[in-house]
Amino acid sequence: SGHYGRAQPQQQYAQPQYNQNNTSQPQDNQQGFYSPPPAQDPYSNYNNPAPTPPQQQYTAGEGGFYNSGASFYDPNTNMGSMGAVPSQTTSDTFDEEPPLMEELGIDLQQIYQTTMTVLNPSKPAATTLMDDPDLSGPVLFCLGFGSLLLLSGKIHFGAIYGVALIGAASMYTLLNLMSVNGVSASITVSVLGYCMLPMCALAAISALLSLKGLFGVILSILTVSWAAFASSKLFVSVLAMYDQQPLVAYPCALMYGIFAVLTVF
């Protein structure tokens, strides 16, 4: 009956004793705890850290990057640490660039010489005039011809393009059959385009006067003859066909005659 009234003995647990240095490691003789040697203990260097190596001091007399005057934010350095890059001024860069007309392939001197040759058919054409043919002058004259016709209320841009394309292809084929050396398509288009200048003059006159009478017929014949003679002279000077100029002028006159019909009617 006194079994439940008897006090149960409480189990005593041994508390680990710590050393006086207030470290977290218990003493070696308490409860058989394992204490690793300092060489294997990863926490042994917390209270005694390893000495840091002395840092190198850079003085004003020493060389190197820190004494070179460059910095990581210097715009004259390559990524801030590769040394100074030779500076280039803007004026030197612009002086080395070619002119704008040269980049576009437009030679104003050649355009002027070819235009003067067309305006003065009696002047002998240079044999080297078409060594480097350009298409800027022919495009300019064709657009000018269509614009002058537009002043007369005639919209013939499609007809001008079609007649010029068929005429250039026909002349290219004919000249290669007649000559020994042959001619390139760029030279053919360039010569025929430059000789559109007389047709531009006829279109300008038609914007001011009516060309449906006798005056218009005579003026158209003179203009077509002028353009055919100038183009044939340029062709024979390039191909060295001086004895065949009338044979070359005839198909040229046919093509420019079509442009005259578009102008008058």
Side-chain angles (χ1 to χ4, degrees):
S1 63
H3 177 73
Y4 295 97
R6 185 182 301 175
Q8 296 293 331
Q10 296 182 357
Q11 185 177 0
Q12 301 293 329
Y13 294 94
Q15 298 293 332
Q17 297 181 2
Y18 297 91
N19 55 9
Q20 296 179 357
N21 294 332
N22 195 19
T23 58
S24 61
Q25 296 180 0
Q27 295 183 358
D28 298 340
N29 55 359
Q30 297 293 331
Q31 301 296 327
F33 288 109
Y34 172 72
S35 177
Q40 299 180 2
D41 189 3
Y43 304 100
S44 61
N45 293 328
Y46 279 4
N47 295 328
N48 297 319
T52 57
Q55 297 182 357
Q56 185 179 358
Q57 301 294 331
Y58 294 92
T59 61
E62 296 180 356
F65 173 75
Y66 293 95
N67 196 32
S68 62
S71 64
F72 287 97
Y73 300 98
D74 192 354
N76 295 325
T77 59
N78 186 10
M79 299 302 293
S81 61
M82 299 302 294
V85 178
S87 60
Q88 296 181 354
T89 59
T90 307
S91 59
D92 296 338
T93 306
F94 287 148
D95 291 341
E96 295 177 358
E97 292 183 356
L100 179 60
M101 291 299 179
E102 184 177 349
E103 291 184 354
L104 296 177
I106 300 175
D107 190 356
L108 297 178
Q109 185 66 25
Q110 184 179 7
I111 293 175
Y112 174 77
Q113 292 179 359
T114 310
T115 304
M116 291 296 104
T117 303
V118 174
L119 292 177
N120 188 10
S122 61
K123 179 182 178 180
T127 56
T128 59
L129 192 61
M130 288 297 163
D131 291 342
D132 187 17
D134 67 301
L135 300 178
S136 55
V139 170
L140 178 62
F141 291 150
C142 289
L143 290 177
F145 179 66
S147 301
L148 291 172
L149 290 181
L150 191 61
L151 296 178
S152 303
K154 303 173 183 177
I155 305 176
H156 294 314
F157 287 100
I160 293 172
Y161 175 76
V163 172
L165 182 63
I166 297 174
S170 302
M171 288 299 303
Y172 171 75
T173 304
L174 182 62
L175 292 174
N176 281 286
L177 292 175
M178 294 176 60
S179 63
V180 178
N181 300 326
V183 66
S184 63
S186 59
I187 293 179
T188 304
V189 174
S190 181
V191 170
L192 295 175
Y194 272 108
C195 293
M196 286 290 295
L197 183 58
M199 307 309 301
C200 292
L202 183 64
I205 296 174
S206 67
L208 301 175
L209 301 174
S210 178
L211 300 179
K212 294 184 179 180
L214 181 61
F215 173 75
V217 174
I218 296 175
L219 187 60
S220 299
I221 293 174
L222 293 177
T223 305
V224 170
S225 302
W226 182 8
F229 181 77
S231 59
S232 62
K233 184 183 66 174
L234 290 174
F235 278 130
V236 298
S237 64
V238 172
L239 300 174
M241 300 167 53
Y242 298 101
D243 54 344
Q244 300 180 6
Q245 185 174 358
L247 297 178
V248 178
Y250 176 70
C252 294
L254 293 178
M255 189 189 70
Y256 292 119
I258 299 176
F259 289 124
V261 171
L262 293 176
T263 304
V264 174
F265 301 102

